[in-house]
Amino acid sequence: MKTLAHSLMSVAALALVAGGGASAALAQNQQTPRGFNYDIKNGQRVPKPGNRIANPDGSWREETRQGNCVTVKEKTAQGEYKESRRCD
């Protein structure tokens, strides 16, 4: 009787672990809705990579569109940061 109970508990534990792995796999494949400015990676929000253009000298420029507005972020090789917003 003791062996049968032990076997049933082992099977139940394995089924619980297998079910938990399936739900974790589903959570990893979540899609972020269109228009959001972040992706979901490992259950965490990660900023979406915009159309950032990085130069070899360390400067970069990125444009992000939100509706009719465009936000332009720029950083020079000297570390100067500039952000401007234009709405059409």
Side-chain angles (χ1 to χ4, degrees), residues 52-64:
R52 179 179 285 200
I53 300 168
N55 298 320
D57 64 355
S59 62
W60 52 265
R61 174 185 168 92
E62 179 178 338
E63 292 185 11
T64 307

Side-chain angles (χ1 to χ4, degrees), residues 34-36 64-71 85-88:
R34 295 175 95 192
F36 278 57
T64 307
R65 178 170 289 279
Q66 290 179 327
N68 292 335
C69 297
V70 177
T71 303
R85 187 173 171 97
R86 176 180 81 238
C87 295
D88 298 333

